[in-house]
Amino acid sequence: MERLHRTEPSKLTERVLQFGEGNFLRGFVEWMFDRLNKENGGDFGVVLVQPLPSGMVNMINEQDGLYDLYLRGLQNGEKTEEERIVECVTRGIDPYTDTDAFFKCALNPDMRYIVSNTTEAGIEYIPNQSADDFAGTTFPGRLTMFMKKRFDAQLPGFVLLPCELIDKNGACLKECVLKYADDFGYGDAFKKWVNEDNIFTSTLVDRIVTGYPRDTAKQMEERYGHLDNVIDTAEIFHLWVIECDKDLSKELPFTDIGINVVWTSDVTPYKKRKVRILNGAHTMSVLAARLAGLETVGEMMDDADFAAYINKGLFDEIIPVLDLPKDELVYFANAVIERFKNPFIKHYLLSIALNSVSKYKVRVLPSLLEYNEKFGKAPSVLTFGLAALIEFYKGSEANDDEAVMKFMKNASVAEILKNEALWGADLSFSEKDVKAYVDDIHSYGVRSALKKII
């Protein structure tokens, strides 16, 4: 069986430079550009840049940039699977061994878009870096060097589309570039060009990309009829929210072919929606489900009691306090439920349970507080979720900071709720309700206690 390869050279114009060659971007951004090329007559060639000294570009180049992408999940309750060979990647560059090839991309007048996913720690400024130390600086430092080459060639700036999971990732990246410009002595004219000729968008990305399918790769290769060392797999659901003051929807016409990209002047409400609904639904439910002896999100969603519990929490308690249009929130919540039910993904409850105290504070507590303020009473599911959290931390499966676990294990409900260091507020006002749920869990078991509120 032959390795996947091109039968003729790619004719695509290299317009996209991407820092990151890993599974997520290949199952998310490349899928979008590949669809633009094939369904909308696009001409987007993507050059992958390896952000770390070790990576996958050699394997990708061995296959001429091609790889199989397998999407699988539920759509409208039906199992849906999509297979494609992604063909938009023209090549990969290891800038540590071929720095010239990397900087040469800056001199390509067709290069327009810069995408990145260098992990949450990737967008980082460290002072006293040197422009002569390419390998020793950060991703924003290397990007600054790259942009200086572009500036010196008197070429137009870029549209930057960072995908790192931090708030205002575009603004943070721009701030780092300007600081490095000062450190590297690039001058005010360069900084003016960075500010005026480049568009730093801030984005929110959402798709579960499960990566290389180790258990089924050989069977998939047999079905495809070729070898592929970089098969990628992901769920069907996808969302890319892009905050930008300039309308780029015509030059990047993702929405014209049904790709779920939202262009907006403010990404904040969409981030809030994701954290409160998707992440919040996980955190309000998985600890109670684990106390009931369940192991995976799929098992939880197949359980009638927990399915009802999650539905009530989402539609009766979280959505009513969010400020986006209700139809958008309901659509997103229904999509979340389908994602939780995805039979192709085995998501363990204990994995989600990691650091649940801080997760509850960010993901669930704001909804609880806003519901209480708006309706003058405690939201039953969100409050029960807090009681289940307290009970979970009394057991042996909690995985958190040692000091947090020790406190949670030994403190009373009253002591836990009034600990402002944990929650950012004194939650003593909820003691009566939380204590009643904790007592119910002790007296009847978590399932019977949960049934009383659904």
Side-chain angles (χ1 to χ4, degrees), residues 84 253 277:
R84 71 167 52 224
I277 293 179

Side-chain angles (χ1 to χ4, degrees), residues 316-336:
D316 295 351
E317 298 181 7
I318 295 176
I319 285 178
V321 299
L322 293 177
D323 51 8
L324 282 169
K326 186 175 180 182
D327 57 341
E328 289 185 21
L329 296 171
V330 169
Y331 172 83
F332 187 75
N334 283 323
V336 164

